Amino acid sequence: DHLNAEVVAGTVTNIREAVEWIRYTYLHVRMCKNPLAYGVSSVQHESDPTLRKRSEELAIEAAKLLDERKMVRFNPESGNLAVTNMGRVASHFYIRNQSVATFNEMMEQKRDYATDADLLHIMCCADEFENLRVRPEELDEVDKIKKESCPLETLAPVEEFSGKCSVLLQAYISKARVTSFTLISDTNYIASNAGRVARALFEMSLKGGNAPAALKFLRLAKSIDNRFWWFQTPLRAFENELKKNVFVALEDHRTAKGRGGGQYTTFERALSLLEMDPDEVGQLCHCFRDGKLIKKHVRYLPKVDVSVSVQPITKSTLRFRIDLSPNWTWSPRYHGGAEGFWLWVEDSENRRTYHSEYVLFSRRNHPEDKALEVIVPLFDPMPSQYYIRIVSDSWVGCESLIPVSFQHVLVNGLGSPTFFTNLFDLTPLPVQALNDTRYEQLYENRFEVFNPIQTQLFHILYHTDTPVLLGAPTGSGKTTVAELALLRMKKQN
């Protein structure tokens, strides 16, 4: 874990630097003082008194383990170490490498489809919770909590630490009453770590392109922070200002396929109150005098209006121009100085994300719009639509899904020669084609013939004044192409 943190920070980029880093640690001091306790025999210590070889063995062993768990990229031949998204997230959220190994294995098994209960179980299997011990005297109360306060299925038996963690975490979110002192202590420990682990899993899923898992982990992380479920009304964020009748009335109208696992429209349900008169709102929520107060708090819910225009760039690339308009009443008490949102582009058919970014709205600039320009890939056959999903980083339930139709996007003509020139199979031209000994001397020590791109462009650049727009990969000789145009200018003038 420490080596991964050093690689992420950029202070260690290869095994040699890792060995130097180990020699500055307390581990190395203790190994030199008491080598036998650290598996170094007296013979090894005599032949290598500074323990440099032992430090190198430890560094290589750790690097191989991190590479196996996709946290770094290790090249055994060169000894180079490169950071990965998985390792960066683990370092940022202080996630242990054993937990990352568990997440990799379990997420791979649930790659095609994972329910909320599956992802909660994966999170509760983290190495961070292995210290939880199941005591026989607690089982009765844990079973009672499981029946009364757990809307999601517990996939592990409560006798295991992951099962107990799942039950106590759900009890914490549901604000269930826990009486046993040891269970209260365990619940506090789980609550202090679960939000961090859920956030780490969210970023791992998002950067890994797994859109459904990313959304569910973000919902779970926000539920842990706010202590109410994402399938409950987002107005529960104002529990101290609104009466309980409001929440009960709004949650009676949720549309669900199954308890805790279906699709809910609680955010849209809350926003629909803005279309009603205060009297109608009060009647619906069984709080006849509080209609205006309820509507006032609904306007505090952060909602972003999204408009999108699509332009094809090539046959396999689209440009999205996304305009984001903050559409809520800013309150320093509830929103502070800034509100963050996660935005990503996902494909419902492949269930992947093609672009993601964090968008921040500040109080100072509210309600200014934000404009984004996003380049996304397009595959053959062309899907009917992509989706843009924008989710609040802190407000439970505040999220929107915007379909982006490709019905009017024409990409069939982008493969024609009017958009780009095909590379012809030509015999490479020798440097002598420049027909000027001074110019030939510029290249004769570098290469004997021009490459295919340079050969194809040679005549039009060296013998004509026709404008050329060249787009080609790095290392394809574009500098020499530009030099040919300069040589033409020198020859003419």
Side-chain angles (χ1 to χ4, degrees):
D1 293 330
H2 293 305
L3 178 61
N4 177 58
E6 295 296 330
V7 173
V8 171
T11 53
V12 171
T13 59
N14 52 51
I15 292 298
R16 181 176 52 79
E17 291 176 359
V19 172
E20 290 301 318
W21 164 71
I22 290 175
R23 287 166 62 83
Y24 280 99
T25 63
Y26 193 59
L27 167 68
H28 186 262
V29 174
R30 293 304 306 151
M31 280 200 304
C32 291
K33 291 281 186 182
N34 189 4
L36 290 176
Y38 289 88
V40 181
S41 65
S42 55
V43 176
Q44 287 176 305
H45 193 217
E46 287 176 9
S47 61
D48 183 21
T50 61
L51 296 182
R52 189 176 188 86
K53 189 173 181 181
R54 176 58 178 160
S55 298
E56 185 176 351
E57 290 173 2
L58 288 172
I60 292 174
E61 183 182 341
K64 286 181 177 177
L65 187 66
L66 290 172
D67 181 74
E68 180 186 324
R69 292 173 177 176
K70 303 177 184 176
M71 295 173 72
V72 300
R73 285 284 166 263
F74 172 51
N75 186 337
E77 295 178 2
S78 64
N80 289 338
L81 296 165
V83 67
T84 66
N85 283 331
M86 192 82 72
R88 187 179 286 109
V89 172
S91 174
H92 181 72
F93 289 98
Y94 299 98
I95 303 297
R96 300 176 190 171
N97 68 89
Q98 297 96 325
S99 296
V100 174
T102 303
F103 297 156
N104 286 338
E105 182 182 348
M106 299 182 76
M107 289 294 290
E108 192 60 38
Q109 294 171 0
K110 297 290 182 180
R111 181 74 191 183
D112 294 333
Y113 180 74
T115 63
D116 295 323
D118 291 329
L119 298 181
L120 176 64
H121 174 64
I122 290 172
M123 193 191 82
C124 291
C125 288
D127 197 59
E128 279 74 6
F129 303 119
E130 70 166 357
N131 294 328
L132 292 174
R133 289 291 173 262
V134 182
R135 304 167 186 88
E137 64 272 15
E138 298 173 345
L139 289 177
D140 290 341
E141 186 174 355
V142 172
D143 285 332
K144 182 182 177 184
I145 295 171
K146 180 179 176 182
K147 291 175 184 176
E148 296 177 357
S149 306
C150 295
L152 301 182
E153 183 183 358
T154 303
L155 299 181
V158 294
E159 290 79 14
E160 296 179 9
F161 79 88
S162 56
K164 179 181 177 181
C165 176
S166 176
V167 171
L168 293 182
L169 180 58
Q170 293 187 66
Y172 174 79
I173 297 173
S174 301
K175 297 184 179 177
R177 180 177 173 81
V178 180
T179 56
S180 169
F181 175 76
T182 53
L183 286 181
I184 292 172
S185 177
D186 287 342
T187 302
N188 291 335
Y189 173 77
I190 293 168
S192 63
N193 289 281
R196 171 172 60 86
V197 177
R199 290 275 175 180
L201 281 164
F202 158 66
E203 292 205 16
M204 287 177 185
S205 300
L206 188 64
K207 290 174 179 175
N210 190 340
L215 176 63
K216 290 172 182 176
F217 278 127
L218 181 55
R219 286 172 174 171
L220 182 59
K222 292 190 295 183
S223 293
I224 295 167
D225 294 339
N226 294 274
R227 297 194 70 183
F228 67 92
W229 295 97
W230 59 87
F231 45 79
Q232 295 176 309
T233 177
L235 287 176
R236 282 187 177 269
F238 311 110
E239 276 191 328
N240 296 329
E241 285 75 31
L242 300 177
K243 296 177 182 176
K244 189 176 179 181
N245 297 2
V246 178
F247 314 134
V248 174
L250 290 174
E251 287 162 11
D252 280 344
H253 292 274
R254 65 190 182 188
T255 55
K257 295 178 182 177
R259 191 185 182 203
Q263 297 297 318
Y264 295 85
T265 56
T266 51
F267 188 41
E268 290 79 3
R269 180 70 183 169
L271 294 176
S272 68
L273 298 180
L274 296 175
E275 302 169 7
M276 303 181 188
D277 295 331
D279 293 340
E280 292 176 322
V281 174
Q283 187 176 359
L284 175 69
C285 298
H286 308 303
C287 295
F288 299 99
R289 297 180 182 178
D290 294 344
K292 288 185 179 179
L293 181 66
I294 294 169
K295 289 188 69 172
K296 176 184 175 183
H297 284 84
V298 171
R299 291 190 183 94
Y300 290 147
L301 295 176
K303 177 180 181 292
V304 178
D305 294 329
V306 182
S307 61
V308 188
S309 64
V310 183
Q311 294 177 316
I313 298 177
T314 68
K315 200 170 184 180
S316 59
T317 313
L318 294 175
R319 176 166 58 198
F320 284 9
R321 294 186 184 274
I322 306 172
D323 292 314
L324 306 174
S325 304
N327 186 9
W328 74 86
T329 303
W330 196 288
S331 168
R333 176 182 176 185
Y334 299 120
H335 304 106
E339 276 292 345
F341 288 82
W342 288 96
L343 180 145
W344 63 81
V345 181
E346 62 181 62
D347 176 4
S348 62
E349 296 171 11
N350 295 332
R351 305 170 68 83
R352 290 189 60 82
T353 57
Y354 297 122
H355 176 85
S356 64
E357 64 181 274
Y358 185 71
V359 182
L360 198 65
F361 293 94
S362 65
R363 178 188 174 190
R364 180 183 302 173
N365 299 326
H366 188 76
E368 280 187 11
D369 294 358
K370 283 190 178 290
L372 305 177
E373 192 170 285
V374 175
I375 306 298
V376 296
L378 188 64
F379 301 97
D380 198 23
M382 186 172 72
S384 58
Q385 59 188 10
Y386 279 178
Y387 291 98
I388 292 176
R389 192 181 292 275
I390 184 160
V391 187
S392 172
D393 186 52
S394 56
W395 288 72
V396 178
C398 295
E399 55 189 64
S400 302
L401 183 67
I402 300 92
V404 181
S405 174
F406 297 154
Q407 186 176 355
H408 303 293
V409 177
L410 302 175
V411 296
N412 292 333
L414 295 179
S416 67
T418 57
F419 282 83
F420 64 87
T421 307
N422 289 317
L423 192 62
F424 301 129
D425 186 14
L426 301 174
T427 303
L429 280 174
V431 173
Q432 288 74 22
L434 292 166
N435 203 25
D436 189 314
T437 53
R438 295 172 302 165
Y439 297 165
E440 291 169 21
Q441 289 172 0
L442 296 172
Y443 301 108
E444 60 185 10
N445 293 330
R446 291 161 54 191
F447 49 79
E448 296 180 359
V449 296
F450 293 107
N451 71 22
I453 293 175
Q454 296 159 356
T455 297
Q456 186 163 331
L457 290 170
F458 182 85
H459 176 78
I460 199 168
L461 287 172
Y462 194 65
H463 295 295
T464 75
D465 294 322
T466 306
V468 171
L469 172 66
L470 173 62
T474 302
S476 56
K478 292 191 292 293
T479 304
T480 301
V481 169
E483 288 171 356
L484 291 176
L486 291 170
L487 294 177
R488 160 75 179 177
M489 182 187 71
K490 295 285 287 181
K491 188 169 68 170
Q492 292 296 103
N493 302 311

